[in-house]
Structures are given as C-alpha cells and as structure tokens.
Amino acid sequence: PTRRSSDLDPYFDSELESAVAQFQNNQELFPYGVLDLTTQRELYNALQNTTVIVDNQLEAAFKHFGLKAEIIE
C-alpha cells in the first residue's frame, strides 16, 4: 500500500498536503503534495519576496482595556 505524507507525520495532514500540491501547481511543478527539495527551494524563493506587515492590534487592544503591553523584539 502507498503511504501518504500524513501517515508519516501528524503535522503534515491532508490539508497541508493539498496546500503543498496547490503551491506546486501555481509554481508549475508537478502537483503531488510532497515537500521535496525543488518545492522547498521554490517556497523559500517565494517567501524571500514576501513583505510581512506587523500591525499594532494587540498593543491597541491592551491600551483600550487600560492594560500595559510590553513589546519584546
């Protein structure tokens, strides 16, 4: 019988396998849902071109409720 990634790793479930396959399809790779080296490289490259925006929602919520927030960077 064929073992799926989700059989070997409880964190790599069928939902993540589907997301990997969709990413592979979007990158014009063979969409089989396995996080192989080529997919890892493409994912790394895609993340290098991603901008992460950090907002102050938590800090604003603390201020709203009169609490003191300590931001650790």
Side-chain angles (χ1 to χ4, degrees), residues 1 4 7 9-12 17 20 24-25 28 30 32-33 35 38-39 45 47 53 55 63 67 72-73:
R4 306 297 294 169
D7 295 333
D9 184 344
Y11 300 104
F12 200 94
E17 189 173 341
V20 170
Q24 290 168 324
N25 191 53
E28 299 181 356
F30 183 76
Y32 68 122
L35 198 54
T38 302
T39 303
N45 289 339
L47 291 173
I53 299 171
D55 62 24
K63 285 181 182 178
L67 302 171
I72 301 172
E73 295 184 31

Side-chain angles (χ1 to χ4, degrees), residues 30-64:
F30 183 76
Y32 68 122
V34 175
L35 198 54
D36 59 20
L37 290 176
T38 302
T39 303
Q40 289 178 44
R41 185 187 69 234
E42 290 298 319
L43 183 58
Y44 176 82
N45 289 339
L47 291 173
Q48 294 304 302
N49 298 320
T50 301
T51 301
V52 176
I53 299 171
V54 178
D55 62 24
N56 295 333
Q57 291 292 321
L58 183 59
E59 186 177 5
F62 272 67
K63 285 181 182 178
H64 175 77

